[in-house]
Amino acid sequence: MSHQAAVAAEFIKGQVGMAKAGVITEAAARQAADLALKHLSPADRQEATRILAAEAQHRR
């Protein structure tokens, strides 16, 4: 697992948490997540997405 993918996934989880808590809007969280993913390499972007999907699946 690359460090950048792991950091991006944690950042995105934080944004989602803040949106759920009402600290920021869902649109702001989505925009921040898109920006974070945009700056990753394609492989890191795919890995970060996989990390988030696996954690979402685990929570269900």
Side-chain angles (χ1 to χ4, degrees):
M1 174 185 320
S2 83
H3 179 72
Q4 282 123 345
V7 169
E10 286 299 318
F11 173 77
I12 292 168
K13 286 191 300 185
Q15 296 300 303
V16 170
M18 288 195 301
K20 286 182 179 179
V23 176
I24 62 174
T25 65
E26 188 177 315
R30 190 176 305 112
Q31 197 171 31
D34 289 344
L35 186 61
L37 291 173
K38 177 182 172 184
H39 291 286
L40 294 176
S41 70
D44 284 343
R45 188 177 312 124
Q46 184 177 21
E47 187 174 354
T49 302
R50 184 191 56 74
I51 292 167
L52 292 168
E55 290 183 10
Q57 187 76 329
H58 179 72
R59 280 192 297 267
R60 290 183 191 170

